Amino acid sequence: MDELELLKKDWKNAEKHYPSLSHDEIYKMTHSKSSSIVKWIFYISLIELGLGLILALLNPRIDNEIIYPTWLEAIGYFTIPVLVYFIVMFYKNYKSISATDNVRKLIKNILKTRKTVKYYVLFNLIFTGIFSAIAVFIAYIQASGGYEKFNETAHFKEYAILVLVIVLFSALFIAIAYGLYYLLYGILLKRLNRNYDELKKLEV
């Protein structure tokens, strides 16, 4: 018996141990996994908002010489309606995927969910960058004796250092936020992308 015949024989034996799944079975498995992933995205965003609200209500402060204006704290409260909007969208995406009964609709809902998560993360990263830049600017100016004193004595070098400090610290905070969001949502999105690829194969 030649090598080709041996391979055919091994393949037939393997088929007995590993039964092939039908189109409907693969769809049901992919649908269930996708629904579970989107549900976790909704839960995580809900926990994230809850923790943010708790911190805002407790308003923990660190005793130091830097005094931040109340309007800076108020900026954080203005983001709450936006975050609530995204959470509502996550819930709608979850309900849509749960109620989907065909491949094409499920693919469309997965694409919508991916887009919503990306916009959500992008909004939070932009807000982190803006908020941290303002906070670092205020802290640096106050540490230098106040805006009037800094403006009177500062030259090009001092302004350049201020800009550099703002950029470095803002980049650091954005990098930390990105790392956290990658752990929270990036892994789930990767799994959702795998499900999307499986569904595309079924549609062909």
Side-chain angles (χ1 to χ4, degrees):
M1 186 179 295
D2 59 16
E3 293 180 0
L4 181 59
E5 291 298 323
L6 286 171
L7 287 173
K8 288 181 179 179
K9 186 177 180 181
D10 290 338
W11 178 259
K12 288 179 180 179
N13 289 331
E15 285 183 335
K16 294 178 182 178
H17 297 288
Y18 304 103
S20 59
L21 296 174
S22 67
H23 179 283
D24 290 339
E25 287 172 330
I26 295 174
Y27 172 76
K28 287 178 182 178
M29 289 174 60
T30 308
H31 177 275
S32 177
K33 288 189 291 184
S34 300
S35 180
S36 177
I37 290 168
V38 178
K39 181 170 66 176
W40 274 107
I41 289 173
F42 169 68
Y43 286 160
I44 291 171
S45 63
L46 206 59
I47 293 170
E48 184 185 350
L49 178 63
L51 290 174
L53 289 174
I54 291 171
L55 289 173
L57 292 172
L58 294 176
N59 198 16
R61 294 178 182 273
I62 300 173
D63 293 330
N64 54 34
E65 297 179 356
I66 307 301
I67 301 173
Y68 292 100
T70 54
W71 61 263
L72 184 62
E73 296 179 2
I75 292 176
Y77 292 105
F78 284 117
T79 64
I80 292 176
V82 180
L83 298 179
V84 170
Y85 165 77
F86 277 111
I87 289 173
V88 171
M89 292 303 298
F90 289 149
Y91 179 73
K92 285 184 176 180
N93 290 338
Y94 165 64
K95 296 298 289 184
S96 296
I97 286 179
S98 298
T100 302
D101 56 1
N102 64 67
V103 174
R104 191 175 294 275
K105 284 184 179 179
L106 186 54
I107 289 175
K108 185 179 178 181
N109 288 328
I110 287 177
L111 288 174
K112 189 187 296 182
T113 301
R114 290 195 314 184
K115 190 179 292 184
T116 306
V117 174
K118 287 178 181 179
Y119 286 151
Y120 176 74
V121 172
L122 183 62
F123 168 79
N124 282 287
L125 292 179
I126 291 173
F127 172 75
T128 299
I130 294 172
F131 188 86
S132 59
I134 296 172
V136 171
F137 171 79
I138 293 171
Y140 189 91
I141 292 298
Q142 288 195 22
S144 301
Y147 181 77
E148 291 183 1
K149 183 179 179 180
F150 178 81
N151 198 37
E152 288 175 359
T153 59
H155 299 287
F156 176 79
K157 180 182 177 182
E158 285 73 21
Y159 284 110
I161 292 173
L162 172 59
V163 172
L164 183 62
V165 169
I166 291 173
V167 170
L168 288 177
F169 275 93
S170 298
L172 176 63
F173 290 131
I174 290 173
I176 292 172
Y178 179 81
L180 290 173
Y181 280 117
Y182 179 80
L183 289 175
L184 291 173
Y185 299 102
I187 296 172
L188 292 174
L189 276 184
K190 278 189 175 181
R191 293 177 181 174
L192 203 60
N193 287 338
R194 284 200 293 267
N195 292 348
Y196 171 80
D197 292 336
E198 289 295 328
L199 291 167
K200 290 294 289 182
K201 292 176 184 176
L202 292 178
E203 195 182 27
V204 176

